Amino acid sequence: MATFESRPSTSCFGPGRVNLMGDHTDYNQGLALPMAVDLGVVVTFEPWEEERVNISSDAYPGEPASFPLDPDVESIPDLEPAWARLAAAVVSLARPEHGGRFHIASTLPRGSGLSSSAAVAVAVAELCGVDGDALVVARLCQAAEHRIGVPVGLLDPLVCAGGHAGQALRIDFASLSTRSVTIAAAVECIVVDSGQRRDLRTSAYATRVAECEAAAAVVGPLGLATDVDIIGLRDPLLRRRARHVVSECARVDDFAHALSTGDLADAGHLMDESHRSLAEDFEATTPVIEDLTGQLRSRPGVVGARMTGAGFGGCIVVLAEPGAFDPASLDVPAWRVVPVDGTVARRDRG
Ligand code: GLA
């Protein structure tokens, strides 16, 4: 048997994600179509004998964190520096055999809606030896987010763990079933960072979750509701929130069909409709996002553009004809992205 000293350090790529369609549907038992992308984090783990975990990140130079291997759960939401709380919460749930040193190197803009948190969480879970399927990993990562007070759904960790190269992942959050959707269309996917940062703990995200819960208390889970069901919502604000979720879920399968059959005109139209619904009914966009989305849509070769993720700032996803424009030609950061394997798909392939 190998001695402890001979244990090598291991590393894991945690992909970020771009959601192509279906935002604010996951915590409503609805549908979404995200993909794991080639922007992400590389987390390295060097095990040691001490029952302690140290963690450092390129994004927070000079701000390392240290906590016991078996931390007191109550203390995690107050851990300093705050950036390390999620990783500590994952460690507390994953209970790795050994302490050690984690280091995070990232190519993902933080707080931009590309799921830098889930990218870190799934990679840390993998390095801690969590060996379940993508849903098990995702549930653990979601529980970790909840442990530190962020009321997220399963969208991000499920695709960061369970995405497949070259494909988007259709997720049904009512049954928690997934299906890969091949992107047959000759199209490029570009993410554009508005530079407007938000934090899910302090943005209106939790307010939207609460509004959807209030609507669901009247008409049942919004992801399963119909246009007719939501007529029963007297409060106009709750009705608008519900209308977004109902219309967005309907767009997911239409969009998946358009992508897999190469119907770019329909895919672009659905993206624009989704964005409008997120802006008007869900009020999840900002003037900066509106302005940038409008500019992007007017570029030649752009098929469609929408905010992606939670909103309230963050990134826009653009579908464009191949070579239509160079991301470097924009005056804000932008990247061409492709769908890659999530952590579990990578593990399964050995
Ligand atoms: C954030 C959350 C997800 C999801 C999206 C919006 O990324 O982490 O659970 O709710 O917002 O679709």
PDB file of all heavy atoms in Angstrom, residues 303-324:
ATOM      1  N   VAL A 303     -27.305  36.042 -34.472  1.00  0.00           N
ATOM      2  CA  VAL A 303     -28.570  35.342 -34.618  1.00  0.00           C
ATOM      3  C   VAL A 303     -29.519  35.714 -33.476  1.00  0.00           C
ATOM      4  O   VAL A 303     -30.721  35.871 -33.648  1.00  0.00           O
ATOM      5  CB  VAL A 303     -28.275  33.819 -34.607  1.00  0.00           C
ATOM      6  CG1 VAL A 303     -29.539  33.009 -34.488  1.00  0.00           C
ATOM      7  CG2 VAL A 303     -27.462  33.424 -35.816  1.00  0.00           C
ATOM      8  N   GLY A 304     -28.988  35.843 -32.272  1.00  0.00           N
ATOM      9  CA  GLY A 304     -29.811  36.178 -31.106  1.00  0.00           C
ATOM     10  C   GLY A 304     -28.913  36.448 -29.916  1.00  0.00           C
ATOM     11  O   GLY A 304     -27.736  36.058 -29.912  1.00  0.00           O
ATOM     12  N   ALA A 305     -29.448  37.148 -28.924  1.00  0.00           N
ATOM     13  CA  ALA A 305     -28.665  37.464 -27.725  1.00  0.00           C
ATOM     14  C   ALA A 305     -29.600  37.544 -26.532  1.00  0.00           C
ATOM     15  O   ALA A 305     -30.726  38.032 -26.653  1.00  0.00           O
ATOM     16  CB  ALA A 305     -27.930  38.788 -27.910  1.00  0.00           C
ATOM     17  N   ARG A 306     -29.128  37.048 -25.399  1.00  0.00           N
ATOM     18  CA  ARG A 306     -29.925  37.136 -24.164  1.00  0.00           C
ATOM     19  C   ARG A 306     -28.993  37.159 -22.959  1.00  0.00           C
ATOM     20  O   ARG A 306     -27.854  36.671 -23.047  1.00  0.00           O
ATOM     21  CB  ARG A 306     -30.910  35.965 -24.053  1.00  0.00           C
ATOM     22  CG  ARG A 306     -30.238  34.625 -23.871  1.00  0.00           C
ATOM     23  CD  ARG A 306     -31.226  33.462 -23.916  1.00  0.00           C
ATOM     24  NE  ARG A 306     -32.017  33.311 -22.709  1.00  0.00           N
ATOM     25  CZ  ARG A 306     -31.605  32.731 -21.578  1.00  0.00           C
ATOM     26  NH1 ARG A 306     -30.371  32.270 -21.462  1.00  0.00           N
ATOM     27  NH2 ARG A 306     -32.400  32.616 -20.554  1.00  0.00           N
ATOM     28  N   MET A 307     -29.484  37.718 -21.860  1.00  0.00           N
ATOM     29  CA  MET A 307     -28.736  37.596 -20.618  1.00  0.00           C
ATOM     30  C   MET A 307     -28.684  36.112 -20.261  1.00  0.00           C
ATOM     31  O   MET A 307     -29.526  35.329 -20.698  1.00  0.00           O
ATOM     32  CB  MET A 307     -29.367  38.408 -19.485  1.00  0.00           C
ATOM     33  CG  MET A 307     -30.816  38.074 -19.177  1.00  0.00           C
ATOM     34  SD  MET A 307     -31.293  38.347 -17.442  1.00  0.00           S
ATOM     35  CE  MET A 307     -30.924  36.751 -16.687  1.00  0.00           C
ATOM     36  N   THR A 308     -27.691  35.727 -19.489  1.00  0.00           N
ATOM     37  CA  THR A 308     -27.598  34.323 -19.097  1.00  0.00           C
ATOM     38  C   THR A 308     -27.321  34.216 -17.610  1.00  0.00           C
ATOM     39  O   THR A 308     -26.566  35.017 -17.061  1.00  0.00           O
ATOM     40  CB  THR A 308     -26.521  33.581 -19.927  1.00  0.00           C
ATOM     41  OG1 THR A 308     -26.511  32.204 -19.564  1.00  0.00           O
ATOM     42  CG2 THR A 308     -25.120  34.159 -19.746  1.00  0.00           C
ATOM     43  N   GLY A 309     -27.995  33.272 -16.957  1.00  0.00           N
ATOM     44  CA  GLY A 309     -27.795  33.090 -15.515  1.00  0.00           C
ATOM     45  C   GLY A 309     -28.796  33.901 -14.723  1.00  0.00           C
ATOM     46  O   GLY A 309     -29.925  34.143 -15.166  1.00  0.00           O
ATOM     47  N   ALA A 310     -28.366  34.351 -13.556  1.00  0.00           N
ATOM     48  CA  ALA A 310     -29.290  35.037 -12.658  1.00  0.00           C
ATOM     49  C   ALA A 310     -29.693  36.410 -13.166  1.00  0.00           C
ATOM     50  O   ALA A 310     -30.785  36.899 -12.875  1.00  0.00           O
ATOM     51  CB  ALA A 310     -28.656  35.159 -11.280  1.00  0.00           C
ATOM     52  N   GLY A 311     -28.806  37.082 -13.912  1.00  0.00           N
ATOM     53  CA  GLY A 311     -29.095  38.443 -14.347  1.00  0.00           C
ATOM     54  C   GLY A 311     -28.632  39.458 -13.319  1.00  0.00           C
ATOM     55  O   GLY A 311     -27.690  39.199 -12.571  1.00  0.00           O
ATOM     56  N   PHE A 312     -29.295  40.627 -13.312  1.00  0.00           N
ATOM     57  CA  PHE A 312     -28.909  41.728 -12.417  1.00  0.00           C
ATOM     58  C   PHE A 312     -27.458  42.160 -12.688  1.00  0.00           C
ATOM     59  O   PHE A 312     -26.719  42.523 -11.774  1.00  0.00           O
ATOM     60  CB  PHE A 312     -29.094  41.354 -10.941  1.00  0.00           C
ATOM     61  CG  PHE A 312     -30.412  40.683 -10.656  1.00  0.00           C
ATOM     62  CD1 PHE A 312     -30.471  39.334 -10.314  1.00  0.00           C
ATOM     63  CD2 PHE A 312     -31.589  41.405 -10.768  1.00  0.00           C
ATOM     64  CE1 PHE A 312     -31.695  38.714 -10.079  1.00  0.00           C
ATOM     65  CE2 PHE A 312     -32.819  40.791 -10.539  1.00  0.00           C
ATOM     66  CZ  PHE A 312     -32.869  39.443 -10.190  1.00  0.00           C
ATOM     67  N   GLY A 313     -27.056  42.065 -13.955  1.00  0.00           N
ATOM     68  CA  GLY A 313     -25.660  42.303 -14.347  1.00  0.00           C
ATOM     69  C   GLY A 313     -25.146  41.015 -14.964  1.00  0.00           C
ATOM     70  O   GLY A 313     -25.926  40.190 -15.432  1.00  0.00           O
ATOM     71  N   GLY A 314     -23.837  40.863 -15.012  1.00  0.00           N
ATOM     72  CA  GLY A 314     -23.262  39.606 -15.491  1.00  0.00           C
ATOM     73  C   GLY A 314     -23.101  39.541 -16.996  1.00  0.00           C
ATOM     74  O   GLY A 314     -22.809  40.549 -17.642  1.00  0.00           O
ATOM     75  N   CYS A 315     -23.292  38.347 -17.558  1.00  0.00           N
ATOM     76  CA  CYS A 315     -22.950  38.110 -18.963  1.00  0.00           C
ATOM     77  C   CYS A 315     -24.168  37.990 -19.876  1.00  0.00           C
ATOM     78  O   CYS A 315     -25.277  37.673 -19.432  1.00  0.00           O
ATOM     79  CB  CYS A 315     -22.142  36.818 -19.084  1.00  0.00           C
ATOM     80  SG  CYS A 315     -20.408  37.014 -18.637  1.00  0.00           S
ATOM     81  N   ILE A 316     -23.882  38.183 -21.149  1.00  0.00           N
ATOM     82  CA  ILE A 316     -24.868  37.995 -22.224  1.00  0.00           C
ATOM     83  C   ILE A 316     -24.347  36.860 -23.100  1.00  0.00           C
ATOM     84  O   ILE A 316     -23.132  36.780 -23.338  1.00  0.00           O
ATOM     85  CB  ILE A 316     -24.978  39.290 -23.053  1.00  0.00           C
ATOM     86  CG1 ILE A 316     -25.578  40.393 -22.168  1.00  0.00           C
ATOM     87  CG2 ILE A 316     -25.812  39.090 -24.314  1.00  0.00           C
ATOM     88  CD1 ILE A 316     -25.302  41.781 -22.682  1.00  0.00           C
ATOM     89  N   VAL A 317     -25.243  35.983 -23.533  1.00  0.00           N
ATOM     90  CA  VAL A 317     -24.819  34.944 -24.474  1.00  0.00           C
ATOM     91  C   VAL A 317     -25.339  35.314 -25.855  1.00  0.00           C
ATOM     92  O   VAL A 317     -26.489  35.708 -26.011  1.00  0.00           O
ATOM     93  CB  VAL A 317     -25.266  33.529 -24.019  1.00  0.00           C
ATOM     94  CG1 VAL A 317     -26.757  33.435 -23.751  1.00  0.00           C
ATOM     95  CG2 VAL A 317     -24.868  32.487 -25.056  1.00  0.00           C
ATOM     96  N   VAL A 318     -24.459  35.205 -26.824  1.00  0.00           N
ATOM     97  CA  VAL A 318     -24.779  35.579 -28.202  1.00  0.00           C
ATOM     98  C   VAL A 318     -24.617  34.347 -29.090  1.00  0.00           C
ATOM     99  O   VAL A 318     -23.614  33.636 -28.979  1.00  0.00           O
ATOM    100  CB  VAL A 318     -23.791  36.670 -28.697  1.00  0.00           C
ATOM    101  CG1 VAL A 318     -24.066  37.050 -30.142  1.00  0.00           C
ATOM    102  CG2 VAL A 318     -23.839  37.897 -27.797  1.00  0.00           C
ATOM    103  N   LEU A 319     -25.586  34.091 -29.949  1.00  0.00           N
ATOM    104  CA  LEU A 319     -25.409  33.062 -30.987  1.00  0.00           C
ATOM    105  C   LEU A 319     -25.112  33.810 -32.282  1.00  0.00           C
ATOM    106  O   LEU A 319     -25.820  34.767 -32.618  1.00  0.00           O
ATOM    107  CB  LEU A 319     -26.689  32.261 -31.195  1.00  0.00           C
ATOM    108  CG  LEU A 319     -27.006  31.074 -30.296  1.00  0.00           C
ATOM    109  CD1 LEU A 319     -28.113  30.241 -30.936  1.00  0.00           C
ATOM    110  CD2 LEU A 319     -25.802  30.215 -30.002  1.00  0.00           C
ATOM    111  N   ALA A 320     -24.076  33.384 -32.962  1.00  0.00           N
ATOM    112  CA  ALA A 320     -23.684  34.109 -34.175  1.00  0.00           C
ATOM    113  C   ALA A 320     -23.232  33.130 -35.249  1.00  0.00           C
ATOM    114  O   ALA A 320     -22.793  32.009 -34.939  1.00  0.00           O
ATOM    115  CB  ALA A 320     -22.549  35.082 -33.863  1.00  0.00           C
ATOM    116  N   GLU A 321     -23.348  33.562 -36.486  1.00  0.00           N
ATOM    117  CA  GLU A 321     -22.833  32.740 -37.586  1.00  0.00           C
ATOM    118  C   GLU A 321     -21.325  32.623 -37.405  1.00  0.00           C
ATOM    119  O   GLU A 321     -20.685  33.585 -36.952  1.00  0.00           O
ATOM    120  CB  GLU A 321     -23.154  33.414 -38.924  1.00  0.00           C
ATOM    121  CG  GLU A 321     -24.625  33.317 -39.262  1.00  0.00           C
ATOM    122  CD  GLU A 321     -25.044  34.315 -40.329  1.00  0.00           C
ATOM    123  OE1 GLU A 321     -24.156  34.942 -40.951  1.00  0.00           O
ATOM    124  OE2 GLU A 321     -26.260  34.476 -40.506  1.00  0.00           O
ATOM    125  N   PRO A 322     -20.758  31.443 -37.726  1.00  0.00           N
ATOM    126  CA  PRO A 322     -19.329  31.248 -37.498  1.00  0.00           C
ATOM    127  C   PRO A 322     -18.498  32.364 -38.138  1.00  0.00           C
ATOM    128  O   PRO A 322     -18.729  32.744 -39.279  1.00  0.00           O
ATOM    129  CB  PRO A 322     -19.042  29.894 -38.145  1.00  0.00           C
ATOM    130  CG  PRO A 322     -20.361  29.189 -38.116  1.00  0.00           C
ATOM    131  CD  PRO A 322     -21.404  30.244 -38.257  1.00  0.00           C
ATOM    132  N   GLY A 323     -17.603  32.922 -37.335  1.00  0.00           N
ATOM    133  CA  GLY A 323     -16.696  33.965 -37.834  1.00  0.00           C
ATOM    134  C   GLY A 323     -17.358  35.326 -37.998  1.00  0.00           C
ATOM    135  O   GLY A 323     -16.742  36.252 -38.522  1.00  0.00           O
ATOM    136  N   ALA A 324     -18.620  35.453 -37.579  1.00  0.00           N
ATOM    137  CA  ALA A 324     -19.339  36.723 -37.787  1.00  0.00           C
ATOM    138  C   ALA A 324     -18.628  37.885 -37.117  1.00  0.00           C
ATOM    139  O   ALA A 324     -18.523  38.963 -37.680  1.00  0.00           O
ATOM    140  CB  ALA A 324     -20.759  36.619 -37.277  1.00  0.00           C
TER     141      ALA A 324
END
